[in-house]
Amino acid sequence: MAAARRRVAVGLGLAGAVLAALGICLLAVGPLIVKEQVVKNVRIDPHSIAFGMWKDIPVPFYFSVHFFEVKNPQEVLQGAKPVVNQRGPYVYREFRYKTNITFHDNDTVSFLEYRQLFFRPDLSAGREEDYIVVPNILLMGAAVMMENLPNFVKLLLSGALAGLKQEAFMNRTVGEIMWGYEDPLVETLNVLVPGLMPFKGKFGLFVEFNNSNSGLFTVFTGMKDISRVHMVDSWNGLRKVNYWRTSECNMINGTAGEMWPPFMTPTSLEFYSPDACRSMKLVYEQSGEFEGVPTYRFVAPKTLFANSTDYPPNEGFCPCLQSGVQNVSSCRLNAPVFLSHPHFYNADPFLVNAVDGLHPNKEQHALFLDMHPMTGIPMNCSIKLQLNLYIKQVAGIIQTGKTKPVVLPLLWFAESGSIEGSVLRQFYTNLVLIPSVLNYLQYIFLGLSIPLIITAVVLMATSKEKCSLFWSSNKKNSDTNKANQAPSAKNLPPVKGTVLREARL
């Protein structure tokens, strides 16, 4: 019985030791295995899992546009506050793909990324044929641009505008505002003020957005240094742009806005946006989950579009108005165009109160990126921005009437997408489930090893105790027998000598 217990104890002890060794091994080696797999699969390498996602983004992106229709254009020309009504969304399916992919010897790769947009009437609250009243962007923009020119030039322009029957507000279709319309005003402006509108053909807010690329990006592949993967080395051959007044504001920082280096910390992330003509920094807000995948959420800080009074580092983006709008005229042909969050969210209340019909709120108008911190891959995102036109009365151009200076919203758009379907399942299995299983196994092995080893020790101890008791009992019995035999010998009656003699006879 004791021998059997010892055999069981030895077996349990060995099993516990093996599990403990496996647990310690996984504890030490597991994170290295996971890290190696992440590094192997997120760098820009034709053999990595993420390369296909990087080259031809399989995530369904949607480009949604909301217009601000001006309800009282004639009253605005008389000095009244603009009243706007939001129209839309007008939703487009966005496809992105990379071409001219060229790998270089310095651990970088260059590419052009193209965008194609297709209207989705089933997801939209209207058609591209819908008419919307908006400011005449060319007329009102050109008026502000010509404000400091001699009066006779402005009078000539005003006369030409009257001859062309141009007015301060126009009634155009969504398709025309988005993708362009023929306007004789472009040619007229270039005749009167050469170079004022350095383009020909159609004018539209997104005329160069569809079927076009965002410039030549050169980014690091991460083959030599994974901490720099996707970081921009240059854009169109530049490491700095020349749109802004300070070196800091002209810096091209971060990534191209699609993926980031792995093993992120909950601090901040940066990307360069050709559409905004600048680098943008988002800050960590909170941790969460997307379809079971752990995420960090990054959002725009209030300082993103703050003026230099509220945030001195933004001095380079001035001349500034109130906080919450950024003047992008220097990279938009000097037109008085401003960027902001939708409905002037996070902006100075002055901007919101200057226009009736705006209702800023975080849920609908704040931009965000939900990142998987281990891989640096966005799981869910929505980048939201608003285009605004600064309009005012310009002396000498009668079409501007008595319009009071105001930053008037034209439209806001959201580029949104999230990983789903087979891509999400593959991502979850390879980069979340397997690492999680390895992580849990190490603790399971260690947890199981402890009771096994304790049981083995207890069994071994009890078997030794019983064995000791057995030998002690045997020795006691032997001594007792000897002791019993001795008294019995002493108690025998004395033998008579005659009897012995008789026996010998």
Side-chain angles (χ1 to χ4, degrees):
M1 185 68 178
R5 283 176 174 271
R6 286 198 299 274
R7 285 195 294 271
V8 172
V10 170
L12 291 176
L14 287 174
V18 170
L19 288 175
L22 287 173
I24 294 170
C25 183
L26 282 177
L27 193 62
V29 180
L32 298 178
I33 295 173
V34 172
K35 184 175 181 179
E36 182 183 358
Q37 287 302 308
V38 169
V39 169
K40 180 180 177 182
N41 289 306
V42 301
R43 59 193 182 190
I44 305 176
D45 176 5
H47 303 292
S48 70
I49 291 176
F51 183 79
M53 293 175 59
W54 174 81
K55 181 176 180 292
D56 299 302
I57 298 177
V59 176
F61 266 89
Y62 294 93
F63 184 76
S64 305
V65 185
H66 297 77
F67 288 89
F68 291 100
E69 182 172 36
V70 180
K71 304 299 292 183
N72 62 337
Q74 296 307 316
E75 288 79 2
V76 172
L77 291 173
Q78 297 303 314
K81 179 191 294 189
V83 178
V84 299
N85 177 48
Q86 181 175 289
R87 298 274 300 273
Y90 297 88
V91 183
Y92 297 80
R93 174 70 165 89
E94 182 176 345
F95 293 90
R96 296 184 182 186
Y97 61 94
K98 293 180 175 64
T99 62
N100 293 31
I101 298 174
T102 307
F103 287 88
H104 307 291
D105 294 334
N106 64 341
D107 194 30
T108 63
V109 58
S110 299
F111 61 88
L112 293 172
E113 182 173 82
Y114 284 81
R115 292 177 285 203
Q116 289 184 321
L117 299 175
F118 298 91
F119 185 61
R120 289 288 301 270
D122 56 314
L123 301 177
S124 304
R127 305 173 303 159
E128 284 190 312
E129 293 75 27
D130 291 346
Y131 278 87
I132 297 180
V133 177
V134 295
N136 186 332
I137 302 166
L138 284 174
L139 188 157
M140 298 298 278
V144 173
M145 293 165 69
M146 297 174 64
E147 183 176 17
N148 296 321
L149 292 180
N151 283 332
F152 78 90
V153 175
K154 290 185 284 186
L155 289 171
L156 283 175
L157 174 62
S158 185
L161 293 173
L164 294 171
K165 298 182 179 181
Q166 293 276 348
E167 297 182 354
F169 291 86
M170 61 183 185
N171 192 14
R172 294 278 184 181
T173 68
V174 168
E176 287 176 326
I177 299 170
M178 290 280 293
W179 312 120
Y181 55 90
E182 298 288 349
D183 196 328
L185 181 56
V186 175
E187 184 177 350
T188 301
L189 287 170
N190 282 325
V191 169
L192 291 172
V193 186
L196 185 69
M197 296 287 178
F199 62 87
K200 296 180 180 180
K202 292 183 176 182
F203 171 78
L205 292 176
F206 295 96
V207 68
E208 295 182 353
F209 190 82
N210 199 4
N211 296 311
S212 63
N213 65 74
S214 53
L216 182 67
F217 274 99
T218 301
V219 303
F220 289 94
T221 65
M223 297 297 289
K224 296 179 181 178
D225 183 358
I226 195 63
S227 67
R228 303 190 71 188
V229 65
H230 301 298
M231 302 296 285
V232 176
D233 180 50
S234 66
W235 175 73
N236 285 339
L238 303 172
R239 287 188 168 87
K240 285 185 178 182
V241 294
N242 57 0
Y243 301 128
W244 314 111
R245 297 167 55 185
T246 64
S247 177
E248 182 181 357
C249 291
N250 279 319
M251 291 292 294
I252 297 176
N253 299 322
T255 72
E258 295 175 339
M259 298 180 185
W260 278 261
F263 316 115
M264 302 178 75
T265 57
T267 52
S268 64
L269 60 79
E270 284 188 275
F271 63 96
Y272 178 72
S273 170
D275 298 325
C277 309
R278 58 167 289 187
S279 298
M280 303 177 77
K281 177 183 284 190
L282 305 186
V283 296
Y284 170 82
E285 182 187 53
Q286 63 185 17
S287 298
E289 281 191 358
F290 176 79
E291 300 294 342
V293 179
T295 58
Y296 286 165
R297 170 161 289 193
F298 293 88
V299 299
K302 274 194 172 185
T303 56
L304 184 64
F305 296 134
N307 61 24
S308 58
T309 302
D310 293 338
Y311 188 62
N314 281 352
E315 168 65 29
F317 296 123
C318 291
C320 300
L321 296 178
Q322 294 79 16
S323 281
V325 292
Q326 182 187 322
N327 188 343
V328 292
S329 59
S330 59
C331 70
R332 290 290 178 263
L333 307 177
N334 292 316
V337 177
F338 288 76
L339 273 184
S340 70
H341 296 298
H343 286 248
F344 295 131
Y345 170 71
N346 263 352
D348 190 311
F350 175 87
L351 295 165
V352 181
N353 296 330
V355 180
D356 281 344
L358 301 180
H359 309 284
N361 69 79
K362 180 179 180 179
E363 183 178 349
Q364 296 181 15
H365 305 135
L367 65 83
F368 68 86
L369 282 174
D370 287 340
M371 306 292 302
H372 181 229
M374 184 182 290
T375 60
I377 295 176
M379 303 303 300
N380 183 31
C381 66
S382 185
I383 302 299
K384 302 168 184 175
L385 293 172
Q386 179 172 294
L387 288 180
N388 310 278
L389 184 68
Y390 179 66
I391 63 173
K392 61 181 293 188
Q393 175 186 0
V394 176
I397 302 179
I398 60 173
Q399 285 79 6
T400 60
K402 299 177 182 178
T403 304
K404 290 185 177 179
V406 63
V407 180
L408 186 63
L410 299 175
L411 59 84
W412 70 270
F413 61 87
E415 282 190 283
S416 306
S418 59
I419 293 181
E420 59 185 35
S422 60
V423 177
L424 177 61
R425 288 191 294 272
Q426 183 185 22
F427 183 94
Y428 181 82
T429 300
N430 291 314
L431 296 173
V432 178
L433 183 60
I434 292 176
S436 296
V437 168
L438 289 175
N439 187 51
Y440 288 131
L441 276 178
Q442 63 192 18
Y443 296 109
I444 291 172
F445 287 160
L446 288 172
L448 289 175
S449 69
I450 294 171
L452 288 175
I453 292 172
I454 291 174
T455 303
V457 171
V458 171
L459 285 174
M460 188 63 76
T462 55
S463 69
K464 284 184 177 181
E465 183 180 347
K466 289 190 175 184
C467 184
S468 174
L469 287 171
F470 173 77
W471 286 109
S472 175
S473 176
N474 283 345
K475 183 177 181 182
K476 184 177 180 181
N477 290 336
S478 174
D479 292 342
T480 303
N481 289 337
K482 289 180 180 179
N484 289 336
Q485 289 174 4
S488 60
K490 290 179 180 179
N491 293 332
L492 287 176
V495 180
K496 302 292 184 177
T498 56
V499 175
L500 289 174
R501 283 195 298 270
E502 289 175 358
R504 290 191 189 99
L505 291 175

